[in-house]
Amino acid sequence: MEMLVQRLEQAVIRVEQVSVNMQVSNGMANGECNGINGGQSQCMEAFDLLLMGPLSEYLKNSRAIGEDVEKHAEMVNNALQLQRSFLKMATTHQEPAQMELADLLKPISEKIQEIQNFRERNRGSSQFNHLSAVSESIPALGWVAVSQKPVPYVKEMNDAAIFYTNRVLKDYKDSDKRHVEWVRSYLSIWTELQAFIKQYHTTGLVWSKTGPIAPPFLFSPAPGGPCPPPPPPPPGPPPVFTDEPPQADSTTAQHSALFAQLNQGEAITKALKHISKDQMTHKNPALRSQGGEHHASPPKSRNPGGSSNRAPPQKRPPLLELEGKKWRVEYFDQAHDLVIEEPELRQVAYVFGCSNSTLQIKGKINSIIVDNCKKLGLVFDNVVGIMEVINSKDIKLQVMGRVPTISINKTEGCQVYLSKDALDCEIISAKSSEMNILVPQDDDYREFPVPEQFKTVWDGSKLVTEPTEIAG
């Protein structure tokens, strides 16, 4: 009976949305979301249907799962309510100048950053794939700063979410249908947003052609909007929002470069300056000797844009402890006797900032994440979910039992020794190099490199991609 009621509610929402779309197609052309001929109310009604339908369903499913997923969902709700206030203003105000527009968009940028930071702070969470799906796709709210083609931009963000929602489905499709419903409802938010943009803002955000110029800040929520007032603006204007790549002003970009944030996702390192070999200290002894003099001068800052009073980074103490459901293994150096004995099935292991060390996990564990480590050896028995390596270098993994999935992301150098029971595991890699899989053969291992270069061709109906090798 409960399932039937839910289906009826969803059907009613769909019928209401179709009704609004029919009214729009009969009485409005694209872009008339500006208070003319009832466009304002129809435009906002369409957006409210998105909030009452997919968003409400997503919130309900997130509360059913609870924990980090529920907390993350509340942040998403706040971000979408804030965007509603912004769209409401656009229907009654004319577009402001570029600088004022950047200030006006800053609260949305901060909400996006808050959601992404939550994922980064909870990398050891058992719900990490849920958090990643949201974190990687939430920049879709930046469509309001994209001119010409905002719909493809939102679709790109939705595709980024699918990479992680597929992992969620793989883990829970046969064991817990709540997570399946969560995936469906979350992805439908971006599907419906694409339809909304295509109907009302096909070539970019449409502002009112009448009314006052929009103020530089959302001082208070739009009438009926539940979002709180944003914090006061920072000193100094943020950069102008355009379709061009953001300017290389790192100070202002950290505060309010919405468009830069929207297009970065996790690829923050792309903004770093390229250093040639003759500038690398480990390849140039002369630079090392020059750098030694600076080490003896504490008052001088090593960061040209930083404060001279900032203390040098402190070396953090190593840590191996169980915190709730998470085993934290952090900041070990030259430690080769690290052991986690008989973890519980619901527990996860998060290994961060370790170098020149070896860790052994005896027993069956839910998942393992190796993050920002260098020259780490990891031996484990059985993993129920996923073994993930990210932002690391020179990692060696040895599987003694079984693991369904191994993910290697942004890693340089990774060797994986599989057991005979783990030969059916899936290995997913992205933005990584020097990866080798070693398969048991007789009493030895045979090494197979993971492809790093691919060839893509159009076969007349679709793109076909296959590994290739560098000729010569």
Side-chain angles (χ1 to χ4, degrees):
M1 194 63 176
E2 183 179 353
M3 291 293 295
L4 181 60
V5 171
Q6 291 180 2
R7 291 176 62 185
L8 287 173
E9 290 176 347
Q10 294 172 5
V12 170
I13 291 171
R14 288 290 183 183
V15 170
E16 291 175 346
Q17 188 164 14
V18 170
S19 175
V20 170
N21 290 339
M22 290 178 63
Q23 295 175 24
V24 170
S25 61
N26 292 332
M28 286 184 63
N30 169 60
E32 290 190 8
C33 189
N34 54 21
I36 301 176
N37 297 328
Q40 172 187 334
S41 59
Q42 290 182 342
C43 175
M44 293 310 301
E45 283 177 6
F47 192 80
D48 286 342
L49 280 176
L50 185 153
L51 301 181
M52 293 185 295
L55 177 62
S56 295
E57 191 73 11
Y58 160 67
L59 291 172
K60 182 184 74 174
N61 292 328
S62 297
R63 294 182 186 113
I65 295 173
E67 299 183 44
D68 292 336
V69 167
E70 181 178 5
K71 296 175 185 175
H72 221 199
E74 291 302 325
M75 297 179 189
V76 173
N77 180 42
N78 291 338
L80 277 161
Q81 299 294 349
L82 182 61
Q83 181 148 103
R84 183 193 185 280
S85 296
F86 179 85
L87 292 175
K88 181 72 172 178
M89 175 176 287
T91 63
T92 56
H93 291 73
Q94 297 185 54
E95 183 176 5
Q98 290 289 344
M99 285 295 184
E100 285 73 16
L101 178 59
D103 287 332
L104 193 59
L105 288 168
K106 187 175 182 295
I108 295 178
S109 172
E110 291 175 340
K111 289 296 181 184
I112 292 172
Q113 193 64 51
E114 177 189 14
I115 291 168
Q116 292 181 326
N117 288 342
F118 184 83
R119 188 274 295 268
E120 295 304 317
R121 292 195 307 269
N122 293 276
R123 281 192 164 273
S125 171
S126 60
Q127 300 169 339
F128 181 71
N129 287 328
H130 300 71
L131 305 185
S132 295
V134 175
S135 179
E136 291 296 312
S137 56
I138 196 63
L141 295 182
W143 71 268
V144 291
V146 179
S147 61
Q148 300 304 318
K149 296 181 179 180
V151 173
Y153 172 76
V154 176
K155 184 181 183 302
E156 182 181 350
M157 297 299 105
N158 182 67
D159 292 344
I162 290 175
F163 176 81
Y164 288 98
T165 56
N166 284 343
R167 294 184 178 185
V168 175
L169 293 176
K170 182 178 179 181
D171 291 341
Y172 294 101
K173 65 180 179 181
D174 297 325
S175 60
D176 194 337
K177 295 300 181 183
R178 294 177 302 172
H179 298 266
V180 177
E181 289 300 310
W182 181 89
V183 168
R184 180 194 58 76
S185 60
Y186 180 70
L187 293 180
S188 68
I189 293 175
W190 306 125
T191 303
E192 295 300 328
L193 182 61
Q194 290 176 64
F196 169 79
I197 298 170
K198 186 176 181 179
Q199 181 68 57
Y200 298 100
H201 305 277
T202 307
T203 57
L205 180 66
V206 177
W207 291 82
S208 175
K209 296 179 177 63
T210 60
I213 302 295
F217 300 103
L218 290 171
F219 292 109
S220 59
C227 59
V240 178
F241 291 88
T242 67
D243 277 341
E244 298 298 323
Q247 300 297 316
D249 184 345
S250 61
T251 302
T252 55
Q254 289 176 354
H255 290 289
S256 58
L258 170 64
F259 202 67
Q261 293 173 358
L262 302 181
N263 288 282
Q264 281 187 42
E266 289 189 13
I268 297 174
T269 56
K270 291 181 179 178
L272 299 179
K273 180 181 177 182
H274 175 72
I275 301 297
S276 61
K277 290 184 178 180
D278 61 341
Q279 294 174 297
M280 299 180 181
T281 56
H282 69 285
K283 293 182 179 289
N284 193 334
L287 288 179
R288 285 200 298 270
S289 62
Q290 294 172 7
E293 297 175 2
H294 295 286
H295 286 256
S297 304
K300 294 184 180 180
S301 172
R302 293 173 58 87
N303 180 7
S307 169
S308 60
N309 295 326
R310 185 178 299 172
Q314 298 291 327
K315 185 176 180 180
R316 300 191 183 186
L319 174 69
L320 196 166
E321 69 174 14
L322 178 61
E323 183 182 88
K325 299 178 183 178
K326 177 171 65 176
W327 282 97
R328 295 176 57 189
V329 185
E330 302 176 358
Y331 306 112
F332 280 96
D333 185 28
Q334 300 290 346
H336 298 283
D337 56 351
L338 304 174
V339 180
I340 296 178
E341 296 272 5
E342 299 298 330
E344 295 181 11
L345 188 59
R346 64 191 180 94
Q347 293 172 351
V348 301
Y350 180 54
V351 187
F352 180 82
C354 295
S355 60
N356 299 290
S357 299
T358 304
L359 170 65
Q360 184 175 7
I361 301 178
K362 299 179 179 180
K364 185 178 291 188
I365 196 167
N366 186 281
S367 62
I368 305 172
I369 297 175
V370 173
D371 185 6
N372 199 29
C373 293
K374 183 177 180 181
K375 295 184 178 179
L376 175 75
L378 173 61
V379 182
F380 60 91
D381 290 347
N382 295 284
V383 170
V384 177
I386 185 172
M387 166 72 239
E388 183 167 8
V389 181
I390 186 170
N391 293 326
S392 296
K393 185 175 181 179
D394 296 335
I395 304 298
K396 291 184 179 181
L397 308 176
Q398 183 166 5
V399 188
M400 305 303 292
R402 295 182 60 85
V403 57
T405 306
I406 297 176
S407 173
I408 307 171
N409 194 12
K410 296 181 182 178
T411 294
E412 180 182 344
C414 185
Q415 288 188 314
V416 181
Y417 293 80
L418 296 177
S419 68
K420 291 182 179 180
D421 293 333
L423 295 179
D424 60 346
C425 81
E426 294 182 354
I427 299 171
I428 303 170
S429 61
K431 301 178 182 179
S432 299
S433 62
E434 301 176 31
M435 298 170 289
N436 295 285
I437 310 302
L438 292 95
V439 177
Q441 211 169 68
D442 299 328
D443 294 330
D444 202 356
Y445 284 90
R446 185 179 176 187
E447 186 176 90
F448 296 89
V450 177
E452 299 176 25
Q453 184 177 13
F454 302 89
K455 177 180 69 176
T456 301
V457 296
W458 175 256
D459 71 350
S461 60
K462 63 182 182 300
L463 292 176
V464 178
T465 301
E466 59 183 17
T468 186
E469 296 181 0
I470 301 176

